[in-house]
Each structure stands twice: as structure tokens, then as C-alpha cells.
Amino acid sequence: MDIFLAQLFGLYFIIVGAIVALRRKSMMPAVSELVGNRPMLLLLAFIELAAGLAIVVAYPAITFDVMGIISLVGWVMLVEGVIYLTLPIRVVQKFVRHFNTGLWYVYGGAFSVVLGLYLAGRGFGYF
């Protein structure tokens, strides 16, 4: 299961990171619209909460290895889901507007690709 999750998250982060960095101008309005749509934001929050809980329950410890990184991803998803569900919508919108800039998409996409390459490399046994 550990190898599967490293492969899955690795490939996911590579693909999504590249798309986010390269298509940031089309993604920024979509993210703004998503945050303005309360039912969609609630749905996203519940999905993130469930996925984060599933990962954290299976891998609770944050360590300095591949499974620690996957655990950290689970904790981030869990915290983000709780934040979206508990904070007032105006605070969430202000927070998202602050980070919904082209530069953040480039940096976030690049970080995602690097993280994905590491996880996929470990998961598929390249290093």
C-alpha cells in the first residue's frame, strides 16, 4: 500500500502541478468562482476532510520518509477541510484571494512537480 500511495500521489502531483503552472491564467478565475459558490466550497471541504482523515488514520506519523510526506499531505487536507467548514465564508474568500495570483500558481506548481517526482521516483523504485 505504501508503494501504491507514493506512485498515486507522485503522478497526481506531477500532472496537477504542471497543469496549474502552465494553465494558471485559466485556473485563477475558476478558483475565484469556486470560493464564491458556497455549496461547491462545502462539497470540496467535505471531500478534503474525508480524504484527509482516511490518510491520517492510515498514516498518522509525519516522518522524514515517503510515508511521512503522504501523512503530511493528509494532515494538510484535513486541516484545510476543517478551515473551510469552520471559518466564515468571507474569511475563506479573503484568504483564497490573497493566494490566487499567478506567481503562487507558478511556485505551487513547481513545488508540486518536484514533490511528485520524488514520490513517483521512490514509488516506482527509480531511487
Side-chain angles (χ1 to χ4, degrees):
M1 183 64 140
D2 299 348
I3 292 172
F4 169 75
L5 288 177
Q7 293 169 342
L8 175 72
F9 280 117
L11 293 173
Y12 176 83
F13 285 140
I14 291 168
I15 294 166
V16 170
I19 291 169
V20 164
L22 296 172
R23 305 272 305 151
R24 64 189 171 276
K25 288 183 181 177
S26 65
M27 295 215 133
M28 289 169 48
V31 169
S32 293
E33 285 183 41
L34 173 71
V35 175
N37 186 332
R38 284 185 183 191
M40 287 302 294
L41 187 60
L42 280 175
L43 179 62
L44 173 67
F46 285 125
I47 291 170
E48 272 195 297
L49 180 64
L53 279 172
I55 295 168
V56 167
V57 167
Y59 303 98
I62 299 174
T63 57
F64 293 103
D65 60 2
V66 171
M67 293 323 302
I69 293 171
I70 291 172
S71 176
L72 182 62
V73 169
W75 280 105
V76 168
M77 291 172 72
L78 175 65
V79 169
E80 189 174 2
V82 169
I83 286 172
Y84 286 166
L85 290 170
T86 58
L87 289 179
I89 189 72
R90 293 180 201 267
V91 175
V92 172
Q93 289 172 337
K94 183 178 179 183
F95 180 76
V96 171
R97 271 195 306 272
H98 176 74
F99 289 103
N100 197 23
T101 66
L103 194 57
W104 276 105
Y105 281 77
V106 171
Y107 288 146
F111 177 77
S112 180
V113 169
V114 169
L115 181 63
L117 288 170
Y118 173 74
L119 290 173
R122 295 299 301 240
F124 288 106
Y126 294 124
F127 55 90

